[in-house]
Amino acid sequence: MGLAVTSQHVARQLGAGAEPTALWSTANPLERPGVKEAVEFAIRSANLLLGWLPRRGVFLARKAVLEVGPGQDFGFPLILIGLGANVILVDRYLAQWDENFHPIYYRALRKVVTKKLRGIRKRPIREVLKHRAHQARGLRAIQQGLESVDQIADGSIDISYSNAAFEHLAQVDKAIEQLGRITKPGGLGFHQIDLRDHRDFNRPLEYLCLSEGEFSAVLEASSWSCGNRLRYTEFFEMFEQAGFDVRFKPNLLADDEYVRDVRTRAQAQYQAMPIDALRLVSGRFFLKKRRAS
Ligand SMILES: C[S@@+](CC[C@H](N)C(=O)[O-])C[C@H]1O[C@@H](n2cnc3c(N)ncnc32)[C@H](O)[C@@H]1O
């Protein structure tokens, strides 16, 4: 049976008495409504990644994988470790072990994972369950923003991955510079970015109408949970500048009439952008780190 997800659950996940500065106002909310959905999400994410890699799972063996902003659970990275990878997690608001959620979740994942992913070892899932903590061989979790991961060595990451995390970064240029520094020449990156104003998905471009001052206040108040309002064209340029060959595959478009209306109300820099920079409100970046010529 799925675990009902409540706001109390989220509060528990944060831990009573946590530092206010360490709180994301919606800190790692349970994105999926229950255990079953969360298990399916981890397996689907792993299968997606395997589909993009050369020689699927074989490619993962002994590779160093970085996940940025893993969120509520570490099911996806534990699957990758079970397939032979070593994983580093980087999250400014790293999810803490929740005795009311994680044991139920990891037991449910352990139950189905071998049927869904050929050749997977369950050892990493068993280890976190045994330790009742996110501790497993091959897993390193860093509670820090991607912007400041100076301790990760230059050129040490083979594959980077994120889902709905880059729109929450506070200093995107600095974070992408770090990603460029730590990725090996030839290394790959897969980053799904949700470019909508998270305050109201039905009006996904409203934040483009706010002045710098107004938007800074919204960002601060929401700890960047509303999204940093960078457009895909700006991400594209930053990834290129950090040394990546870049491909962007959009997977959500805003309504044409709404986009035209917002363009008349948006701040000048957004009015000047090509219409596609506003229309494309979600998509995945596929990166390959250039080799020095
Ligand atoms: C919307 S959640 C997505 C979580 C997960 N990837 C998923 O799909 O469910 C955004 C994640 O980014 C993390 N995050 C926010 N700021 C960050 C930063 N500066 N560096 C790394 N992660 C960050 C959040 O703590 C959270 O885990």
Side-chain angles (χ1 to χ4, degrees):
M1 205 176 80
L3 183 78
V5 173
T6 63
S7 54
Q8 288 93 321
H9 176 86
V10 174
R12 272 204 312 274
Q13 213 179 342
L14 290 173
E19 279 287 299
T21 49
L23 297 186
W24 207 24
S25 54
T26 51
N28 285 320
L30 290 174
E31 303 277 338
R32 260 58 61 190
V35 166
K36 186 168 172 280
E37 289 79 1
V39 165
E40 281 166 3
F41 178 78
I43 291 170
R44 195 168 56 248
S45 303
N47 270 318
L48 262 184
L49 177 63
L50 291 174
W52 298 320
L53 297 176
R55 296 181 298 133
R56 277 184 70 89
V58 181
F59 184 85
L60 269 181
R62 289 180 297 283
K63 291 289 191 299
V65 179
L66 168 83
E67 184 179 10
V68 182
Q72 64 181 38
D73 65 68
F74 301 167
F76 167 71
L78 291 174
I79 288 174
L80 301 188
I81 297 170
L83 292 168
N86 292 307
V87 178
I88 300 181
L89 303 176
V90 168
D91 198 319
R92 187 171 171 190
Y93 311 96
L94 194 73
Q96 302 302 305
W97 182 266
D98 180 349
E99 197 55 33
N100 294 307
F101 171 63
H102 288 118
I104 302 167
Y105 168 73
Y106 291 122
R107 270 188 236 118
L109 184 63
R110 184 181 59 186
K111 206 165 162 189
V112 296
V113 82
T114 36
K115 279 183 241 137
K116 305 281 183 174
L117 288 146
R118 207 143 46 90
I120 191 169
R121 282 170 304 131
K122 293 196 272 191
R123 189 264 305 157
I125 304 175
R126 273 196 225 109
E127 281 185 12
V128 294
L129 280 167
K130 186 173 130 214
H131 295 305
R132 297 161 81 149
H134 286 125
Q135 288 168 18
R137 271 171 297 148
L139 180 69
R140 178 180 171 200
I142 302 178
Q143 183 156 9
Q144 240 169 274
L146 177 62
E147 295 90 339
S148 55
V149 289
D150 297 337
Q151 67 272 56
I152 303 182
D154 292 3
S156 58
I157 299 296
D158 295 286
I159 300 162
S160 67
Y161 177 92
S162 70
N163 185 65
F166 273 63
E167 71 270 24
H168 299 294
L169 298 176
Q171 293 167 277
V172 185
D173 47 354
K174 217 169 150 190
I176 292 182
E177 214 176 282
Q178 289 276 17
L179 188 69
R181 179 185 67 74
I182 64 183
T183 305
K184 273 184 194 163
L188 304 174
F190 307 93
H191 299 281
Q192 170 71 35
I193 308 185
D194 186 337
L195 303 153
R196 292 174 294 176
D197 184 340
H198 289 33
R199 292 173 306 167
D200 182 357
F201 285 152
N202 291 318
R203 300 173 66 77
L205 298 170
E206 287 308 303
Y207 55 8
L208 305 185
C209 303
L210 302 177
S211 69
E212 282 297 327
E214 288 167 335
F215 186 56
S216 292
V218 171
L219 280 176
E220 291 288 339
S222 71
S223 302
W224 277 257
S225 65
C226 62
N228 52 34
R229 85 170 173 178
L230 262 76
R231 298 297 87 202
Y232 91 89
T233 42
E234 297 171 285
F235 278 109
F236 200 107
E237 212 175 301
M238 285 186 206
F239 284 129
E240 277 197 320
Q241 272 172 14
F244 292 101
D245 288 333
V246 187
R247 201 158 53 86
F248 178 67
K249 225 174 146 187
N251 40 39
L252 193 65
L253 302 180
D255 174 72
D256 277 341
E257 201 177 315
Y258 173 68
V259 175
R260 279 197 298 275
D261 165 55
V262 166
R263 217 171 182 209
T264 63
R265 300 185 281 117
Q267 296 292 307
Q269 76 259 37
Y270 300 108
Q271 293 198 7
M273 285 183 178
I275 194 92
D276 268 356
L278 308 189
R279 273 178 75 226
L280 309 190
V281 289
S282 196
R284 184 169 276 115
F285 282 92
F286 293 83
L287 311 176
K288 184 167 186 180
K289 183 79 191 296
R290 287 191 289 274
R291 296 175 196 275
S293 49

